[in-house]
Structures are given as C-alpha cells and as structure tokens.
Amino acid sequence: MENGIFICCFFRISDVQTMKINQTILKEFILVGFSLYPYLQTFLFVVFFCLYLLTLSGNLAIIGLTWVDRCLHTPMYLFLSALSFSETCYTLTIIPKMLTDLLAKKRIISLIGCGLQMCFFLGLGGTNCAILTLMGYDRFLAICNPLRYPLFMTHMACRKLVASAWIAGFFVSVIETALIFRGSFCSPNLVKHFFCHMRAVVKLSCLDSELTEFIVTVISVSGLMGTFLLIILTYVFILSTVLRIPSAEGKQKAFSTCASHLTVVFIHFGFASIVYLKPETSGGDDTLIAVPYTVITPFLSPLIFSLRNKDMKNAFRKVLGKTVSLNNLGLLLHD
C-alpha cells in the first residue's frame, strides 16, 4: 500500500515538473516570417524596400504640402495629412523590422518589444479606420449640410476629432494587448508571422488561447465593421443628396471629391477583413495574406489621394516651381 502511494506521488511530482518544463516562461520570440521562402528573401527585401521608400515619400509629401500650401488648410486636407502621418507611423512599426529580418539569420524579438509592436500596430490600424470614418463624415457635412459645414468643421473641431481618433485607436489596442500578454507564454517560442500579429502570438499563451483569441477577434472585428458601416451610412446620405442635384456638372464634382476616399476605404477595409475574418490557415498563408494590409495598402493610399486630387497636384507644382526658381536664383548669385 505504501509503495503504491509512493509511486502515485512520484508520478504526480513528475507530471508537475513536466508541466513546468512545457510552460517555460519565455522572454523572447523567434519570428518565422518569410523563412518558409528562403529563395525569395532577397527579392522580397528589394521589393518591400522600394515600396517602403515610395510609401514614406508619398505620405511625407502629403504632410509637407498640406503644411506649406495655405490653400490646403481645410478640414479635408487636415484629415488627409493626419491619415498620412498615422500611416507613416504604422509602416515604421512593421516594415523596418521585417526588412532587417529578411537579411538576418536570427529573427528574434523580445517579449517587451513584441508587446509594443503589437500595441502600436493595433492602435495605429484602429486610428487609420477612425480617421477614414472622420473623412467620410467631413464629406457628408460638406455635401449634405453645406451651410452648417463651416460652423461644425472648424480647425479646433478637426484637431479634437483627430485626437479622439488616436485615443480611441490606442484605447482598444491597449485592451487587446493586455488581454494577450496578461499571462506567460509556453514553448516553442516560434511566432509564425513576420511581426507580432495577435493571432500568431496568442497561440503561444499558457492560458486558454482559444478564449483569448475569440475575445480579441470580436473586439477587432467589431471596431472594423463598426467604422466601415458608419462610412457606408454617410455615403448613403451623400448619394441621396447628390442624386437630387439638377446639373450633371454638380453631380460629377460631388462624386469626384468622394472617389479617392471611397477607393481607399474599400482597399483598406477589404484587406483588413481578409486578415481578421478568414478561417484558420497555416502560418505561411497568414504571412502572405498580411502583406497587402501592412505593405500594399499604405503604399496605395497616398498614391490614390495624390493622383486624383487637383488641389494636391497644383500645390506640388507650386512647390516645385518655387524650388526651381530658388535654384536658378542661387546659380545667378553664384555666377
């Protein structure tokens, strides 16, 4: 009988030790990233690096032109420059680390670094959604309530709305990140992604990962779909107002002011919905599916807003003309 108790206690102690070994507290993660495609890494580095430079150039150009040209000191361009700044920070959170890992042998990120990257990624993504919603609201007021528009959309009101977008985005991201990092993480420490994506990290949690993933996904999808439905609702009112405009020229002008924004909205929310609403797949598929949302969308956004905007083109020509004139004046003085 005593031998039986001793053997039982021995196995229980062994089980506890095994659980402790399996639940080793991790202090760093290894990002699998594009290591699944070793022959493509140099090519991917060149492509992503070029896209990153173009994205930075486009967003910084929008911010600079809005700051310099007084003709662009309007609510619409204030929201656009706020979106460009948010997307610049968004790409800084993900792409430099991704580019480094494409050339590095060790793709390690600390636990704190992973949490910060996730928090900023989710916060800036939520901020982008909120600012796109504000841009839709701005177009709604300008077209549906043109007489009240100057009263509602003052510069102070725009600044408060942009600040609210940042607060809302990071309020949600802090909650999501805290839920994921509230416990320890178990081995193995392989994150099957090129950054600390919440669905990849939450699977390593020693706690109930399925429940945590469900809660975080519900929060993300609710925010994503909520802002998207608000934008669609504003465009329903805009469409009903535009259709009542008697002149074809007036309709075309109204639609042209909304075309760029609506295009970016469908690209942004379309790629985001694929990431968050897709069923469970392998890590490699997750990596490839996230590329459009993290790399291509920030690249297309300033391109669409710049190419389809006459005021932005005119501002660029003015700045370019002033630069050429100053250069010519400098050459004359030098001679």
Side-chain angles (χ1 to χ4, degrees):
M1 182 70 177
E2 292 179 355
N3 290 335
I5 294 173
F6 174 76
I7 292 170
C8 181
C9 291
F10 174 77
F11 278 112
R12 286 183 178 178
I13 292 170
S14 299
D15 291 340
V16 171
Q17 290 176 343
T18 303
M19 290 174 65
K20 288 183 178 179
I21 292 172
N22 291 334
Q23 295 188 2
T24 304
I25 297 176
L26 302 177
K27 294 183 179 180
E28 62 183 22
F29 295 110
I30 298 174
L31 299 172
V32 175
F34 297 97
S35 60
L36 298 171
Y37 315 96
Y39 301 106
L40 291 175
Q41 291 193 61
T42 304
F43 171 75
L44 291 174
F45 174 85
V46 174
V47 172
F48 292 155
F49 181 71
C50 292
L51 288 176
Y52 182 53
L53 289 181
L54 291 172
T55 302
L56 280 180
S57 301
N59 283 320
L60 292 177
I62 289 175
I63 296 170
L65 289 174
T66 305
W67 181 267
V68 171
D69 196 333
R70 295 184 62 85
C71 296
L72 300 180
H73 292 180
T74 60
M76 181 174 68
Y77 294 106
L78 176 62
F79 289 134
L80 179 56
S81 62
L83 179 66
S84 297
F85 178 74
S86 178
E87 286 194 334
T88 301
C89 298
Y90 177 81
T91 54
L92 284 171
T93 304
I94 301 296
I95 299 181
K97 173 64 176 170
M98 179 187 68
L99 292 173
T100 303
D101 289 343
L102 281 170
L103 300 179
K105 293 182 178 180
K106 293 184 178 180
R107 303 172 178 86
I108 297 173
I109 186 169
S110 66
L111 187 68
I112 296 175
C114 184
L116 289 174
Q117 187 187 57
M118 183 185 297
C119 184
F120 277 98
F121 170 76
L122 294 173
L124 291 165
T127 301
N128 290 343
C129 293
I131 293 175
L132 285 170
T133 306
L134 293 177
M135 293 174 75
Y137 178 66
D138 173 70
R139 294 297 84 204
F140 161 74
L141 286 179
I143 295 173
C144 299
N145 295 288
L147 297 179
R148 296 183 179 181
Y149 180 77
L151 298 176
F152 285 108
M153 280 298 172
T154 61
H155 285 285
M156 183 58 67
C158 292
R159 293 189 185 98
K160 289 180 179 179
L161 288 172
V162 171
S164 300
W166 279 79
I167 292 170
F170 277 91
F171 176 77
V172 174
S173 75
V174 168
I175 293 175
E176 292 178 318
T177 307
L179 283 171
I180 294 172
F181 285 84
R182 73 185 189 278
S184 57
F185 294 89
C186 301
S187 296
N189 61 341
L190 297 176
V191 177
K192 296 181 179 180
H193 223 293
F194 59 85
F195 69 100
C196 286
H197 191 277
M198 63 177 191
R199 294 181 70 170
V201 174
V202 76
K203 296 180 187 301
L204 306 179
S205 176
C206 298
L207 302 177
D208 188 357
S209 61
E210 291 185 1
L211 179 61
T212 303
E213 183 178 1
F214 175 76
I215 294 172
V216 172
T217 303
V218 167
I219 295 172
S220 298
V221 172
S222 299
L224 192 70
M225 296 305 296
T227 50
F228 179 71
L229 290 175
L230 283 174
I231 294 172
I232 295 300
L233 183 62
T234 57
Y235 274 101
V236 169
F237 288 111
I238 289 172
L239 183 62
S240 63
T241 302
V242 170
L243 291 177
R244 292 198 297 267
I245 297 176
S247 65
E249 185 180 352
K251 290 180 181 179
Q252 185 178 0
K253 184 178 179 181
F255 278 125
S256 63
T257 60
C258 302
S260 300
H261 175 251
L262 202 56
T263 304
V264 172
V265 164
F266 279 111
I267 292 173
H268 179 88
F269 286 93
F271 285 139
S273 62
I274 293 173
V275 173
Y276 290 104
L277 299 179
K278 72 176 183 62
E280 288 295 320
T281 56
S282 65
D285 291 335
D286 284 349
T287 301
L288 292 176
I289 287 173
V291 168
Y293 186 58
T294 54
V295 180
I296 297 177
T297 300
F299 164 71
L300 291 176
S301 180
L303 195 66
I304 293 169
F305 279 119
S306 300
L307 291 177
R308 296 183 60 88
N309 194 294
K310 293 181 181 179
D311 293 334
M312 196 65 67
K313 291 178 183 178
N314 292 333
F316 180 74
R317 291 192 189 99
K318 287 180 184 178
V319 172
L320 189 63
K322 289 179 181 179
T323 304
V324 172
S325 300
L326 289 173
N327 289 335
N328 292 335
L329 181 59
L331 290 172
L332 290 172
L333 293 174
H334 180 73
D335 293 339

